[in-house]
Amino acid sequence: MKHERRSPLNATLEAQRGFTLIELMIVVAIIGILATILIPNFVHARAQAQTASCESNLRAIATAAELYYTDNQVYPPSGAVDQSLFGADYLNNVPVDPAAQTLGAKYTFTNNAGANPPTYTITCPGVHDPSTLTHLSGGTAGSAKTITYTSGTGLGAQ
C-alpha cells in the first residue's frame, strides 16, 4: 500500500477551505431575488384564499336562507348571522370571515320583505384585497372591498 506524503503547504490549504466573500454575496443576492419574487405571490395567494372562503360562506348562508324560506314561506329576520337567526336546522356552524378586521365579526343578513318578490342581502364583515374581487359584478380593480350576496343576482362586490 502506497502512502502519499502531504506537504505542510497542502495541509494548510485543506484547513483553510471555506467560502469566499464573493461566493457568500452571490448566495445572499440569489436568496434576496427569490424572496422578492415569492413573498408577493404568497401574500396574493392568501388574499385570494380569504376571498374564496368568504364567497363559500356567503353561498352557505344563502342556502340556509332558502331552506328557511321553503319551510316558513318567509326569510329570516334581519340581523347578524348566527344559529339564533336561522336555527340549528338550517345553519349548523356559524361561518367566520377570514378577512374580518375584528375577531368573531359576523355576516349581516338583511331581509327585504317589502320587495316583490321578497329578497335578501348578505354582507361579509371583512375588507378584501380589491384585486381578488375583479371577477365579481361591481368589483373593479382598486374600488370594491366588500363581498355581498343578493338573492336573485348572486355574488357581487361593493
Side-chain angles (χ1 to χ4, degrees):
M1 198 157 162
K2 189 176 177 186
H3 291 286
E4 288 186 29
R5 192 167 179 200
R6 294 183 182 181
S7 70
L9 180 60
N10 285 343
T12 305
L13 288 176
E14 285 182 17
Q16 293 181 355
R17 285 190 178 166
F19 295 107
T20 65
L21 181 60
I22 292 178
E23 291 170 332
L24 290 174
M25 288 174 53
I26 290 171
V27 168
V28 169
I30 290 171
I31 291 171
I33 290 169
L34 289 174
T36 58
I37 293 170
L38 295 177
I39 289 174
N41 289 338
F42 288 136
V43 170
H44 187 68
R46 182 172 185 228
Q48 284 180 319
Q50 288 176 337
T51 298
S53 177
C54 183
E55 290 173 5
S56 176
N57 289 342
L58 287 168
R59 287 186 186 107
I61 296 167
T63 301
E66 294 300 331
L67 290 171
Y68 186 96
Y69 185 85
T70 300
D71 289 345
N72 302 302
Q73 302 306 305
V74 66
Y75 288 115
S78 297
V81 174
D82 57 17
Q83 287 183 337
S84 66
L85 182 66
F86 286 94
D89 293 338
Y90 304 103
L91 193 63
N92 292 331
N93 298 320
V94 177
V96 178
D97 185 9
Q101 304 295 320
T102 312
L103 185 63
K106 297 182 178 182
Y107 291 85
T108 306
F109 184 86
T110 306
N111 183 340
N112 304 322
N116 189 14
T119 61
Y120 60 87
T121 302
I122 309 164
T123 308
C124 81
V127 176
H128 295 271
D129 181 356
S131 67
T132 64
L133 303 177
T134 55
H135 67 284
L136 299 173
S137 65
T140 57
S143 62
K145 295 188 180 194
T146 302
I147 303 173
T148 60
Y149 184 96
T150 305
S151 61
T153 60
L155 291 169
Q158 294 181 344

